[in-house]
Amino acid sequence: MKKSLIALAVLAASGAAMAQSSVTMFGIVDVGVGHVSATNSVSGVTQSGNSSSRLGFRGVEDLGGGLKAGFWLEGAISPDTGTGAGANNAGPGFAFSRRSTVSLAGNFGEVRLGRELAAGYDKPAISYDPFGQVGLAALQGWTTVRVSNGVSYRTPANLGGFFATAHYGFGEQAGNNTAGRYFGLAGGYENGPLSVTLAADQVKAGVVNNGYSSVTLANDLKTWSLGASYDLGVVKPAFVYHSEKTGSVKNNIYMLALTAPVGPGNLIGSYARYDLKDSNNDSNALAIGYVYNLSKRTAVYGTYAHMNNKNAAARNLNGVSGSFNSNVTVGAGENVDGYQVGIRHAF
């Protein structure tokens, strides 16, 4: 009888613990068609034109006393080919290369271990770019997008709108443990209609897994960013400044953007300038788009983007939209035009 009571007590305790845990599967499938023209013209099926296509699992366990444990496993998918390519994963197999973290959160904030977006990229880039850093019109210029072998800390959400993030990534490269080592800081204020973020990071010379491909830095990379937006209701203007310096090469990127609710969706537009210091090889980009929400989870969208290159500059439109864009040849000082339409579904 005692054994039965003990077994029932164990089962009850186990059930209570399970009731305090949750696991969610989530994802986005975003596919469209597009056309880009420069020296030559290329048309094809695109993916991630409005949101990055992905598949993920996340969960949280309530440990009591305000303490929670969590995990987040998220990988890129390329629905145009059915592979797991993306976020620094060449495919065709699937990998949790977008994010793979375990965390502890409480009144002290949150500590994460694993691979995730770099502190110097996360909010400064994604929050203020109306195109969400995807598609032909996405703002370019960030060398470091994701950080592996990382430890990060985020302040709690009850600081009156103020927030901060500290992020450190161990290099862990064969033969040189400091190569590619990352350190980033970000902080700002977000309350009501106003949002402001200031961020800076540094990467030691070596191989950097920047989120989409690997880049080898001959010199240390230092960056800083400023982003801001203010929601006026009828329109939300946004501004981004991003600067990167490695060795004697310095790039400055500026963006002015607007988001306006029109009908059941949003009209979005941006102007970006890519300024290579001590050179006239600069580029200017203009983009406009509309996202029509069919429901809370499904939308159709259309985007037009134009890149104006000066002198020896040969910058293409953003290539995250699919491999078809890499087949476009851009000559020195040549303009690039592109458009895409697609469907995005979240689950």
PDB file of all heavy atoms in Angstrom, residues 47 132 156 194 205:
ATOM      1  N   GLN A  47      13.094  32.923 -52.193  1.00  0.00           N
ATOM      2  CA  GLN A  47      12.597  32.536 -50.870  1.00  0.00           C
ATOM      3  C   GLN A  47      13.056  33.573 -49.859  1.00  0.00           C
ATOM      4  O   GLN A  47      14.034  34.279 -50.066  1.00  0.00           O
ATOM      5  CB  GLN A  47      13.080  31.130 -50.496  1.00  0.00           C
ATOM      6  CG  GLN A  47      14.572  30.914 -50.544  1.00  0.00           C
ATOM      7  CD  GLN A  47      15.243  31.139 -49.211  1.00  0.00           C
ATOM      8  OE1 GLN A  47      14.592  31.230 -48.183  1.00  0.00           O
ATOM      9  NE2 GLN A  47      16.565  31.233 -49.231  1.00  0.00           N
ATOM     10  N   GLY A 132      13.071  44.167 -42.806  1.00  0.00           N
ATOM     11  CA  GLY A 132      13.419  43.080 -41.898  1.00  0.00           C
ATOM     12  C   GLY A 132      14.693  42.347 -42.231  1.00  0.00           C
ATOM     13  O   GLY A 132      14.861  41.184 -41.874  1.00  0.00           O
ATOM     14  N   PRO A 156      16.817  42.518 -17.434  1.00  0.00           N
ATOM     15  CA  PRO A 156      15.385  42.213 -17.301  1.00  0.00           C
ATOM     16  C   PRO A 156      14.526  43.277 -17.981  1.00  0.00           C
ATOM     17  O   PRO A 156      14.992  44.377 -18.301  1.00  0.00           O
ATOM     18  CB  PRO A 156      15.175  42.187 -15.782  1.00  0.00           C
ATOM     19  CG  PRO A 156      16.296  42.990 -15.216  1.00  0.00           C
ATOM     20  CD  PRO A 156      17.466  42.776 -16.129  1.00  0.00           C
ATOM     21  N   LEU A 194       8.688  55.478 -29.029  1.00  0.00           N
ATOM     22  CA  LEU A 194      10.108  55.752 -29.249  1.00  0.00           C
ATOM     23  C   LEU A 194      10.972  54.512 -29.037  1.00  0.00           C
ATOM     24  O   LEU A 194      10.805  53.773 -28.058  1.00  0.00           O
ATOM     25  CB  LEU A 194      10.584  56.848 -28.300  1.00  0.00           C
ATOM     26  CG  LEU A 194      12.088  57.189 -28.335  1.00  0.00           C
ATOM     27  CD1 LEU A 194      12.477  57.753 -29.694  1.00  0.00           C
ATOM     28  CD2 LEU A 194      12.444  58.158 -27.218  1.00  0.00           C
ATOM     29  N   ALA A 205      40.802  39.081 -35.892  1.00  0.00           N
ATOM     30  CA  ALA A 205      41.090  38.557 -37.226  1.00  0.00           C
ATOM     31  C   ALA A 205      40.960  37.042 -37.247  1.00  0.00           C
ATOM     32  O   ALA A 205      41.298  36.354 -36.287  1.00  0.00           O
ATOM     33  CB  ALA A 205      42.505  38.968 -37.645  1.00  0.00           C
TER      34      ALA A 205
END
